[in-house]
Structure formats: structure tokens, C-alpha cells
Amino acid sequence: MRQAAGPVMARQVGELLGMDVSVRARLEPLRGKLVRLVDRGWLRKLPDGRFATRL
């Protein structure tokens, strides 16, 4: 997240981590982990579905 120039989609995070993002079923667990980080206050989720670091 910190390497990105701004808010990112879960797909972009998966690409950075070297995951196969062409299949949605492989992307959903990552999205779930990002949402958990939002719940814990580490990230924030924007209304358009992108994730960003907390200010």
C-alpha cells in the first residue's frame, strides 16, 4: 500500500504480490484480508472499492 501512488484496487495488490489475479476466485480471499485490515483500522476503504493507508 505504501508503495502505491494512491488508493489501489485489490487486483493491483494481488499483482504486486505475484498472485494470479486473472481468476476472481483467487482474488476474493485477498479482498477479504484487506477488509479485515480495514476493520482493524490499518487501512481505509473508499466508496469506489479502492483501499488506502490510514492517515
Side-chain angles (χ1 to χ4, degrees):
M1 290 294 180
R2 291 184 180 144
Q3 293 176 357
V8 294
M9 299 293 290
R11 179 176 302 276
Q12 294 169 310
V13 174
E15 288 172 352
L16 248 167
L17 295 174
M19 296 174 64
D20 179 21
V21 295
S22 62
V23 180
R24 185 178 178 134
R26 295 188 188 244
L27 196 57
E28 289 305 317
L30 175 61
R31 189 181 324 276
K33 290 176 184 173
L34 292 172
V35 169
R36 273 188 260 146
L37 290 175
V38 169
D39 293 341
R40 292 178 183 167
W42 289 38
L43 298 177
R44 62 188 169 111
K45 186 174 181 184
L46 303 177
D48 62 356
R50 296 182 300 161
F51 296 91
T53 56
R54 270 281 188 220
L55 297 175

